[in-house]
Amino acid sequence: MPTDIQVAAGKVSSINPATGEIVAEFECATPDEVNAAVARARAAQPAWEQAGVKHRIAVLRRFQRILHDRKDDVATLITHEMGKPKVEALLTDIVVVLDAARFLIDNAHHALKPERIPHSNPVLKAKSAYLLREPYGVIGMISPWNYPLSIPATESMAALVAGNAVVLKPSEFTPGIAIELRSMLHQAGVPADVFQVLPGDGPTGAALAAARIDKLIFTGSVPTGKRVAAAASQRLLPCVLELGGKDPMLVLDDADVDIAATAAIWGAFVNAGQTCLSIERCYVHRSLYEKFLSAVVEKGRKLRVGNGMDPATDIGPLIHQQQLRIVESQVSDAVAAGARPLLGGHRMSELGSNFYAPTVLADVTHSMRLMQEETFGPVLPVAPFNNDDEAIALANDSEFGLAASIWTANRSRGQALARRLEAGTVMVNDVVSCYAIPEAPHGGVKSSGIGRTHGRAGLEEMVRVKYVDSDLLPNLKKVWWYGYGPEFSQQMQGFSDFLFARGIFRRLRGGLRSAAAFFRKGRL
Ligand code: NAD
């Protein structure tokens, strides 16, 4: 059965990539419908904000319970719509969302409350000041298909608990999960217009980015992210861009080969390699190189590829034919340029049209597309290095900078090298799991994006800070107001000395010189 992309005649259809069956079908929202949804969200948002953070946390707690109760059905739907093994749907989508909800339930009240801002400058001490964290209003979200629940749900929960309304345009390949998310949030008590889902494809996303939203949270590929950023720049729309990666794994000379090899195959093949944080490049110290290659091949051979509904399956299908063709062409280019295929490197048509064998390639070089472009498939390319400096240089030689990992028996050595890597996250002796740590900020540097989701930093992206300053001496004219002149200039030089001159005597003299400014005549 054909399992290619299907976006036809104003409709989006999610297709089970393992079987080719249609799972769900929706009309694409038109630009008028997008604008109407944003207008409804704008009208509904103030009441949601005024309901207060405690109320919103209670709603989130109900949502957490509903999702937990429905975890089996939701995991089945995720596997049907995008193919990953059901146990991965549970762990990497559902549990991630449950835990992110817990983080917000425990921390949102404290993180969002007004924060006192003390002043250290002596003439500004007679002021009381604080920061308010206010919701933007309406946040637009555009999400991809690879983590069809955890990405839109974690971002939406943070936006909602901060008091925003959310309009979500999910991937055209996984609209059904987003509709399920909507139903659970509404059941938990989020008002219908405060969380809306607009099924659709690229043009629907473009219409949302052009609508009267106050901020955009985009997760997807670098090319689409650049298009979205260009559109947003026309009206200075703030946006967070969570984009692609080409994450390196560095296996140092003191690493445990067995553990690093097991981590490498999981990090490269989880979700069939369709993870923004996948290991896409693996560099191994030359002294361990052949041993490491034998270990990953031996372990990789044991992996079972198949329908994600079968509990024995380790690796499901790729999402669609276009993704499979990208993987195939990068692998065949690399082999033609001298990469050594050790495992896989071919389709598994006997299972269906979207299955690709877990693949290990040795002796890859940086001139190959496989080491420069995002692959997003079950491919582990491995290359040797001679010393730490070379490993860091190879890892940083990329337009991407999402995450990286370092494998070593010496944690301090790993942490010291982590400082030299150009990445939003560096894990020492672990891979990928940073996304499941609700306290950890997620986001990249270089082409991997702008801004952060998750954790305290992700919550901060959902609010504007407003600084409120109240003067405690409202009946006094400020010393710096008009009434300038030569005498005042001298006094202010003294004031500057009082604050910043070198030596206690010069400072005291400056203080005495400036004191008269407070009583000077001739002020307006
Ligand atoms: P994509 O860029 O093709 O699509 C992402 C979303 O953008 C979809 O909802 C799509 O309909 C929408 N879209 C397409 N054209 C648009 C336009 N002109 N204006 C507005 N929206 C538009 O990406 P994808 O194939 O869905 O997802 C895979 C990519 O996402 C990979 O590159 C992966 O690394 C990246 N990703 C990044 C993260 C992260 O957190 N950094 C997480 C998951 C996936």
Side-chain angles (χ1 to χ4, degrees):
M1 265 200 224
T3 51
D4 219 324
I5 299 172
Q6 281 206 4
V7 179
K11 279 193 176 155
V12 285
S13 314
S14 55
I15 296 170
N16 185 329
T19 63
E21 286 154 357
I22 291 183
V23 179
E25 212 163 30
F26 299 92
E27 301 284 330
C28 292
T30 63
D32 283 348
E33 287 166 341
V34 171
N35 289 330
V38 171
R40 285 196 303 276
R42 186 166 298 290
Q45 183 271 335
W48 178 244
E49 179 180 353
Q50 280 151 26
V53 69
K54 283 190 178 159
H55 170 75
R56 298 193 294 268
I57 285 173
V59 170
L60 212 54
R61 194 174 275 120
R62 281 200 294 275
F63 165 71
Q64 192 192 35
R65 287 192 190 127
I66 293 167
L67 174 59
H68 186 253
D69 289 346
R70 288 170 60 177
K71 59 184 180 306
D72 196 60
D73 291 344
V74 176
T76 299
L77 180 56
I78 292 172
T79 299
H80 281 158
E81 265 202 334
M82 73 74 52
K84 68 179 70 177
K86 198 171 158 189
V87 68
E88 282 183 8
L90 177 67
L91 288 177
T92 66
D93 275 286
I94 295 166
V95 172
V96 166
V97 177
L98 293 172
D99 210 19
R102 182 191 53 72
F103 172 79
L104 293 169
I105 289 165
D106 291 348
N107 294 289
H109 186 258
H110 179 73
L112 295 171
K113 73 179 187 195
E115 178 186 342
R116 220 177 79 73
I117 302 293
H119 300 148
S120 53
N121 187 320
V123 294
L124 303 177
K125 279 205 176 288
K127 285 168 169 296
S128 156
Y130 54 92
L131 280 187
L132 295 178
R133 289 180 166 80
E134 297 181 335
Y136 273 90
V138 180
I139 296 199
M141 286 190 186
I142 299 176
S143 59
W145 48 264
N146 60 336
Y147 287 86
L149 180 73
S150 59
I151 290 173
T154 53
E155 295 168 1
S156 297
M157 289 189 303
L160 290 169
V161 83
N164 297 285
V166 172
V167 179
L168 166 67
K169 204 300 282 177
S171 169
E172 50 273 49
F173 303 109
T174 52
I177 308 289
I179 297 295
E180 187 65 28
L181 171 64
R182 180 180 71 182
S183 127
M184 290 185 285
L185 284 169
H186 288 176
Q187 194 188 335
V190 178
D193 289 343
V194 169
F195 182 79
Q196 298 177 65
V197 174
L198 301 172
D201 50 3
T204 314
L208 180 58
R212 256 195 79 216
I213 53 175
D214 301 298
K215 185 158 186 173
L216 180 66
I217 313 288
F218 173 84
T219 309
S221 63
V222 173
T224 314
K226 285 182 178 169
R227 276 199 289 279
V228 165
S233 72
Q234 294 306 305
R235 58 195 178 105
L236 298 181
L237 175 71
C239 43
V240 170
L241 302 172
E242 293 281 12
L243 308 180
K246 192 78 198 164
D247 290 2
M249 170 178 190
L250 309 185
V251 182
L252 306 189
D253 52 6
D254 61 351
D256 180 316
V257 171
D258 179 57
I259 292 195
T262 310
I265 59 164
W266 184 76
F269 303 152
V270 64
N271 205 21
Q274 303 167 117
T275 300
C276 56
L277 296 163
S278 288
I279 295 173
E280 293 238 339
R281 300 177 288 148
C282 184
Y283 303 103
V284 182
H285 190 270
R286 199 173 287 282
S287 64
L288 306 178
Y289 188 56
E290 290 301 333
K291 201 171 155 199
F292 179 87
L293 288 172
S294 307
V296 288
V297 169
E298 189 197 323
K299 289 167 192 287
R301 262 201 197 105
K302 293 183 184 150
L303 296 174
R304 291 151 305 193
V305 181
N307 188 320
M309 288 305 291
D310 179 347
T313 293
D314 297 304
I315 302 176
L318 296 187
I319 185 77
H320 48 57
Q321 290 278 302
Q322 189 182 312
Q323 194 55 45
L324 195 131
R325 285 193 286 268
I326 292 170
V327 174
E328 259 181 347
S329 96
Q330 287 190 15
V331 168
S332 61
D333 280 7
V335 171
R340 190 161 39 116
L342 298 180
L343 185 70
H346 53 81
R347 292 180 182 221
M348 300 180 81
S349 309
E350 67 281 14
L351 297 175
S353 54
N354 287 351
F355 289 90
Y356 194 83
T359 295
V360 177
L361 295 178
D363 305 347
V364 291
T365 64
H366 271 216
S367 56
M368 298 170 182
R369 280 170 56 220
L370 185 66
M371 294 302 268
Q372 295 295 335
E373 299 170 15
E374 192 177 42
T375 308
F376 233 52
V379 181
L380 178 66
V382 192
F385 66 85
N386 294 304
N387 55 52
D388 290 0
D389 286 347
E390 190 191 355
I392 295 289
L394 286 165
N396 288 341
D397 177 25
S398 171
E399 72 157 300
F400 298 98
L402 194 54
S405 71
I406 298 175
W407 295 80
T408 171
N410 180 342
R411 188 151 54 97
S412 318
R413 181 182 176 200
Q415 287 169 343
L417 289 178
R419 289 174 170 265
R420 297 172 60 193
L421 284 172
E422 295 164 1
T425 298
V426 181
M427 301 196 85
V428 178
N429 294 326
D430 201 359
V431 283
V432 181
S433 66
C434 48
Y435 191 77
I437 302 170
E439 292 79 11
H442 173 68
V445 301
K446 302 198 278 188
S447 288
S448 290
I450 297 171
R452 293 293 179 265
T453 55
H454 290 205
R456 178 79 194 245
L459 191 55
E460 292 280 356
E461 294 278 8
M462 304 302 177
V463 290
R464 295 184 173 114
V465 290
K466 181 185 279 174
Y467 169 75
V468 180
D469 180 300
S470 313
D471 205 275
L472 302 177
L473 300 170
N475 298 326
L476 283 188
K477 292 178 182 170
K478 304 294 166 240
V479 70
W480 55 86
W481 289 354
Y482 280 130
Y484 297 167
E487 202 183 356
F488 182 64
S489 295
Q490 294 289 321
Q491 289 162 345
M492 289 304 103
Q493 286 195 27
F495 179 63
S496 172
D497 286 349
F498 172 60
L499 291 181
F500 304 113
R502 261 180 261 162
I504 184 76
F505 291 113
R506 291 184 67 190
R507 283 189 174 206
L508 283 176
R509 201 173 57 211
L512 288 173
R513 241 168 106 196
S514 62
F518 288 89
F519 311 104
R520 77 188 194 278
K521 299 211 166 61
R523 271 196 263 178
L524 299 182

